[in-house]
Amino acid sequence: MAEAPAVFIGILVLCCWIAVANAEYKIYQDPKQPISKRVKDLLGRMTLEEKIGQMTQIDRLVASEEVMKKYYIGSMLSAGGSGPPPTASPQTWIDMVNGYQKGSLSTRLKIPMLFGIDAVHGNSAVYRATIFPHNVGLGATRDPELVKRIGAATALEVRATGIPYAFAPCIAVCRDPRWGRCYESYSEDPKIVRAMTEIIPGLQGDIPANSRKGVPFLAGQQKVLATAKHYVGDGGTTKGINENNTVASRHDLLRIHMPAYYDSIIKGVGTIMISYSSWNGVKMHANRDLITGFLKNTLRFRGFVISDWQGLDRITSPPHANYTYSIIAGVGAGIDMIMVPYNYTEFIDGLTSLVKNNFIPMSRIDDAVKRILRVKFTIGLFEHPLADYSMTKYLGSQEHRELAREAVRKSLVLLKNGESANKPLIPLPKKASKILVAGTHADNIGNQCGGWTIQLQGQPGNVTVGTTILTAIRNTVHPETKIVFNENPHPGYVKSNEFSYAIIVVGEPPYSLTFGDNTNLTIPDPGPSIITNVCASVKCVVVLITGRPVVIQPYLAQIDALVAAWLPGTEGQGVADVLFGDYGFTGTLPRTWFKTVDQLPMNVGDQHYDPLFPFGYGLITEPVRGN
Ligand code: GLC
């Protein structure tokens, strides 16, 4: 009989042990469990407060460890220029991201937050990062495989700063160059934009062949989650006015602006960002038919849908006029994560009360949170929430700079080369007695990178590390060739000097978003007078640094050779490589070059098509040996 209590105690101990073990084991924390089970398990444990926190994305400016913890914030971003000081090291970025992450990891369920950044042409907000040509230049390369490699390099440089999520690529089909974001678009031709979605497997990795269509994918910790943006019709607005109305039949919307989304989804894109613009008068942020109906139900997109910055506010005009309505319309339309980004308590309180009062069903919240958690599990965020310094070496690496240089070479489009094919000016002789280099963009890294570089609007000057076109020319010519740089020479100066020839580099100042909207598309002063002053007295090559075609017809007769270099980024050496014939010109126009702005919009395939240079135009040259 004395054995009975011992057995009883034994059973009791065993039961307690099982209970403790069970309490510690959580399916969602077990990486061996399938993602669907982990999502279900975690969702089942979450309160409404925790769920709404997951749907909330805030900017770094208003974030802190305490805020992350207190409001269960699911995601944060560093919007253009909102980061550590402009010259901060990648280590500083990592420390910053990890700091906020610690706040999220100290919550009850320890759900890591997802940090995102606009890596739209490389990890372009970060000092010393490799800045690749903006998308319009990549469109000119017609080389999706190159663009894929750029995606892979960008992923490494984003991870180098401890960030797992990029708000790229922009797959807009810009149909009017007056749009300030036209350079973020690969082309006016949907076929080219579709091909360039190869950047997605570059960023995220190649999706396995047997994957289910629409399921988000990431190949590992050297890759980043991508965003196809801005869904849909952002590049089709009337007169190219940013965030405006795209007037198009459903057929044209599906034919022009939608196709690249099919490709992105098939390639496993993890997130899709909604456009500020409207389609036939309906704000995309409130378009339930196209977000829930088409994207989620018809295309079976299984990643999450994110709003644009204050995208809900802008559902009403003026913005934020009726935020309660905006939340109902936006979340109701099917947006899963809201880039709030500052006034997060207003959003959290508003959405909570709308759910509690049955204006927004719990099933909608669960759909959003499921998608967000699915993405977080997919990218391994629960297993690797904190970054270490092992990838900082990738930021601005020589290999990536070589890749950017290759991209610059391939993006250049030669529009004119001498009076005739028998008298070409390009390739320029490396050996000459004296060459004039002129223009506002010849020795200016900030100007050659354009917008979305360090700051949101970009900035002229020495903003980051790279090679200016002037330095590149100096690196390339024969050692005995004298280079004279004069940014803005007067006519007398050019006349009184005996130059062998001149290279003029002019163009648009950096800009982004609505600030780039422009109805006249002229080259700003003193660009035109530099062209006129120099070309009147000496043989000249004009290199245009612009995000789009600009008014050039009035000067064309004076110009001996004309090159569209778009916004090449930090590796200006690529320009000299081609001007002096080490490589040939291979780029072709990704856009129609108009004669006068009153022809706009004018796109390839239009009935009335009378361009200065048609879509696809570009003179091809052979490399020369021993120049
Ligand atoms: C912007 C842009 C979008 C960007 C976001 C975050 O306003 O429209 O492309 O990803 O804000 O910076």
Side-chain angles (χ1 to χ4, degrees):
M1 285 305 281
E3 279 168 19
V7 170
F8 178 72
I9 289 167
I11 292 172
L12 198 69
V13 168
L14 189 67
C15 286
C16 289
W17 184 83
I18 291 171
V20 168
N22 265 345
E24 277 176 0
Y25 177 81
K26 296 188 181 89
I27 293 177
Y28 81 88
Q29 287 176 334
D30 180 357
K32 289 200 265 326
Q33 292 288 344
I35 286 176
S36 55
K37 274 199 172 171
R38 297 178 79 185
V39 170
K40 193 166 171 222
D41 177 61
L42 180 49
L43 192 72
R45 296 171 189 270
M46 292 170 77
T47 62
L48 178 62
E49 217 184 340
E50 287 164 334
K51 289 177 182 177
I52 289 178
Q54 282 304 305
M55 296 172 67
T56 309
Q57 185 180 66
I58 64 174
D59 187 77
R60 189 205 63 88
L61 263 183
V62 294
S64 67
E65 259 187 77
E66 295 69 51
V67 168
M68 301 309 286
K69 185 174 177 197
K70 183 166 175 207
Y71 296 95
Y72 309 102
I73 300 295
S75 180
M76 55 184 293
L77 85 155
S78 201
S82 163
T87 56
S89 67
Q91 285 82 355
T92 309
W93 279 84
I94 292 175
D95 293 343
M96 174 189 84
V97 176
N98 283 352
Y100 298 121
Q101 188 65 288
K102 284 178 189 145
S104 299
L105 296 179
S106 62
T107 53
R108 184 177 75 95
L109 294 167
K110 304 183 176 45
I111 306 177
M113 64 84 179
L114 179 63
F115 197 106
I117 194 162
D118 285 290
V120 297
H121 58 150
N123 194 2
S124 51
V126 178
Y127 186 70
R128 220 180 263 285
T130 310
I131 309 288
F132 294 93
H134 268 298
N135 288 353
V136 65
L138 298 182
T141 70
R142 303 291 201 278
D143 189 344
E145 184 274 333
L146 167 75
V147 169
K148 184 177 178 182
R149 285 187 282 139
I150 290 175
T154 303
L156 292 173
E157 297 212 13
V158 171
R159 284 287 190 177
T161 52
I163 298 173
Y165 180 23
F167 304 127
C170 175
I171 55 168
V173 180
C174 170
R175 302 290 283 178
D176 193 321
R178 289 172 289 188
W179 186 33
R181 306 191 73 166
C182 201
Y183 65 76
E184 294 186 57
S185 164
Y186 295 106
S187 176
E188 71 194 32
D189 179 0
K191 284 199 286 303
I192 294 177
V193 180
R194 293 187 72 167
M196 294 308 177
T197 58
E198 272 305 281
I199 196 161
I200 293 170
L203 290 162
Q204 299 191 152
D206 280 308
I207 191 162
N210 56 356
S211 301
R212 264 180 55 219
K213 190 183 146 206
V215 175
F217 175 74
L218 196 89
Q221 299 307 303
Q222 306 232 316
K223 296 289 179 185
V224 296
L225 186 65
T227 310
K229 69 185 188 182
H230 310 81
Y231 183 81
V232 60
D234 50 350
T237 59
T238 306
K239 296 185 182 165
I241 299 171
N242 191 35
E243 303 184 18
N244 212 252
N245 191 20
T246 294
V247 180
S249 65
R250 193 174 182 95
H251 176 75
D252 279 350
L253 189 81
L254 296 186
R255 182 178 66 86
I256 297 169
H257 301 284
M258 194 65 86
Y261 286 94
Y262 311 147
D263 299 271
S264 304
I265 291 170
I266 286 167
K267 292 172 186 179
V269 74
T271 77
I272 291 179
M273 190 186 291
I274 301 302
S275 178
Y276 288 128
S277 56
S278 306
W279 175 47
N280 294 339
V282 177
K283 291 272 183 184
M284 275 308 305
H285 275 79
N287 195 323
R288 191 164 196 283
D289 169 41
L290 283 179
I291 300 174
T292 299
F294 199 73
L295 192 57
K296 292 185 174 177
N297 295 342
T298 306
L299 299 184
R300 304 195 64 74
F301 172 62
R302 290 287 171 267
F304 69 76
V305 174
I306 183 167
S307 81
D308 203 336
W309 171 275
Q310 294 177 336
L312 294 197
D313 309 59
R314 299 186 201 181
I315 288 175
T316 56
S317 311
H320 205 79
N322 184 346
Y323 199 55
T324 306
Y325 165 76
S326 288
I327 299 175
I328 298 180
V331 175
I335 301 176
D336 304 309
M337 183 179 281
I338 317 302
M339 194 184 285
V340 176
Y342 297 136
N343 204 347
Y344 52 88
T345 51
E346 184 189 25
F347 169 71
I348 290 171
D349 293 347
L351 181 54
T352 307
S353 128
L354 286 167
V355 175
K356 285 190 173 157
N357 292 298
N358 296 324
F359 286 99
I360 294 178
M362 200 56 202
S363 56
R364 178 68 271 278
I365 302 299
D366 284 345
D367 171 54
V369 179
K370 244 188 237 170
R371 288 165 178 274
I372 293 164
L373 295 178
R374 183 185 295 137
V375 166
K376 288 187 175 184
F377 284 121
T378 301
I379 71 169
L381 198 61
F382 284 75
E383 286 68 60
H384 306 277
L386 296 168
D388 59 31
Y389 297 148
S390 62
M391 290 182 67
T392 53
K393 59 175 187 252
Y394 292 113
L395 193 92
S397 73
Q398 197 48 40
E399 201 184 317
H400 293 170
R401 291 188 187 277
E402 287 303 325
L403 175 61
R405 179 175 167 182
E406 176 189 347
V408 173
R409 288 195 293 259
K410 293 180 171 170
S411 69
L412 304 177
V413 182
L414 182 59
L415 296 171
K416 180 176 179 184
N417 191 13
E419 284 155 43
S420 66
N422 338 333
K423 280 194 186 167
L425 183 57
I426 285 174
L428 298 168
K430 287 184 184 174
K431 195 165 180 185
S433 53
K434 198 159 70 166
I435 305 175
L436 172 66
V437 179
T440 42
H441 291 53
D443 193 26
N444 198 310
I445 283 286
N447 279 353
Q448 78 191 38
C449 288
W452 291 109
T453 308
I454 309 294
Q455 304 296 334
L456 173 57
Q457 291 300 324
Q459 209 185 316
N462 241 340
V463 292
T464 190
V465 178
T467 305
T468 68
I469 295 169
L470 174 65
T471 304
I473 293 170
R474 288 208 164 109
N475 291 342
T476 310
V477 294
H478 189 275
E480 284 161 27
T481 304
K482 191 167 178 227
I483 303 284
V484 177
F485 175 56
N486 185 332
E487 190 170 312
N488 187 4
H490 55 80
Y493 172 83
V494 188
K495 246 184 230 155
S496 60
N497 272 280
E498 299 216 330
F499 292 111
S500 313
Y501 57 85
I503 302 171
I504 301 166
V505 192
V506 290
E508 293 184 304
Y511 57 79
S512 73
L513 312 179
T514 307
F515 295 98
D517 282 4
N518 186 326
T519 49
N520 59 50
L521 293 181
T522 50
I523 303 168
D525 285 334
S529 58
I530 298 173
I531 296 177
T532 318
N533 292 346
V534 176
C535 296
S537 305
V538 61
K539 283 246 178 277
C540 70
V541 180
V542 173
V543 178
L544 292 176
I545 305 291
T546 62
R548 49 193 160 190
V550 289
V551 175
I552 199 71
Q553 194 187 28
Y555 321 104
L556 197 55
Q558 281 178 286
I559 296 171
D560 298 289
L562 178 64
V563 176
W566 317 109
L567 298 168
T570 48
E571 304 317 303
Q573 188 63 49
V575 176
D577 287 345
V578 182
L579 284 183
F580 292 95
D582 290 336
Y583 291 81
F585 276 90
T586 55
T588 51
L589 285 180
R591 310 202 55 80
T592 298
W593 204 294
F594 57 88
K595 290 177 177 160
T596 55
V597 280
D598 54 20
Q599 294 179 300
L600 297 175
M602 175 171 56
N603 291 291
V604 60
D606 284 359
Q607 254 191 337
H608 302 287
Y609 193 66
D610 180 26
L612 183 62
F613 302 110
F615 169 86
Y617 184 78
L619 301 168
I620 307 299
T621 63
E622 292 297 322
V624 285
R625 302 268 161 257
N627 178 10

